[in-house]
Amino acid sequence: MHRQAIDIVILPSGNLLDLSFELNKRAFESGNAVELLRKDDFMPHLSILMGVVEHDKLPKLIKQLEKNIPKDIQIQLKLSANQDNWMHFEKTDSLMELHKSLYREIDPMVQHSAEDEDFYRHITVGTPPNTEDIPLPQYFTESHIALCALGRYNTCRKILWSTQNKTSL
């Protein structure tokens, strides 16, 4: 049976996307990032739930996502640090509510998922030098949730489903 490594993520937009690209570019140019992030591959993302799913169960997983993620979802994010390869985000009510809801409804369908308490809120950008010019904390509101195929270094390589594009497999 064919299996797919998946990641349910928040795909940043606007200022958060720009900041992710900027910090990753600084890290990449200084030799402190393994990949240059892009909009179409190696996408910057904040993981909500990761796992492995049987390929024939992906349509059922997508139906659960459509059922559990409101079309008008608004996730509040608070960027609190940029260090150790990651942009760190604090627990916010909307982020934790989404994580717990998906963990409860989706996790039984996947294998090798992290435990609920292991949810580490971050976007991997590499370790850029000279980030003193980035004011912290910063606040963002995001609404693009996606199911992605995982690739090298746990990167989002392909969008399998998204709240912004309801077409799926």
Side-chain angles (χ1 to χ4, degrees):
M1 183 64 60
H2 178 66
R3 298 186 315 162
Q4 175 70 58
I6 55 113
D7 198 357
I8 301 169
V9 303
I10 297 171
L11 293 175
S13 62
N15 292 336
L16 182 54
L17 181 63
D18 293 344
L19 182 58
S20 300
F21 284 145
E22 174 60 28
L23 292 174
N24 172 251
K25 180 181 175 190
R26 290 183 195 184
F28 189 79
E29 289 175 349
S30 66
N32 294 317
V34 294
E35 292 291 343
L36 198 56
L37 299 174
R38 302 189 307 267
K39 288 183 181 181
D40 62 344
D41 196 0
F42 298 105
M43 294 169 259
H45 64 281
L46 192 157
S47 295
I48 301 168
L49 188 144
M50 299 172 82
V52 177
V53 65
E54 299 292 338
H55 197 268
D56 63 346
K57 292 183 180 174
L58 279 170
K60 182 179 179 182
L61 178 71
I62 289 168
K63 285 187 191 310
Q64 280 296 103
L65 291 171
E66 289 172 342
K67 177 182 168 188
N68 286 285
I69 300 173
K71 291 179 183 179
D72 59 350
I73 192 164
Q74 298 289 303
I75 304 297
Q76 308 304 314
L77 299 176
K78 180 180 179 182
L79 176 62
S80 57
N82 179 49
Q83 59 191 21
D84 303 326
N85 208 36
W86 301 294
M87 296 167 63
H88 300 270
F89 294 87
E90 292 187 14
K91 291 180 180 180
T92 61
D93 291 343
S94 59
L95 179 59
M96 296 312 295
E97 182 178 310
L98 175 64
H99 170 71
K100 288 179 181 188
S101 168
L102 291 178
Y103 186 81
R104 186 174 46 254
E105 299 296 328
I106 303 299
D107 192 65
M109 292 184 220
V110 300
Q111 303 164 357
H112 309 291
S113 181
E115 294 297 321
D116 185 38
E117 61 269 11
D118 293 337
F119 178 47
Y120 186 67
R121 303 146 320 275
H122 71 281
I123 295 176
T124 303
V125 293
T127 308
N130 308 319
T131 59
E132 298 81 22
D133 62 323
I134 308 298
L136 295 173
Q138 288 192 41
Y139 300 86
F140 304 93
T141 301
E142 297 295 334
S143 61
H144 190 182
I145 312 299
L147 170 66
C148 293
L150 278 180
R152 194 171 82 209
Y153 307 114
N154 289 331
T155 56
C156 285
R157 301 298 308 271
K158 178 182 176 185
I159 297 174
L160 303 174
W161 173 89
S162 137
T163 54
Q164 292 190 1
N165 181 2
K166 291 291 187 173
T167 60
S168 57
L169 303 172

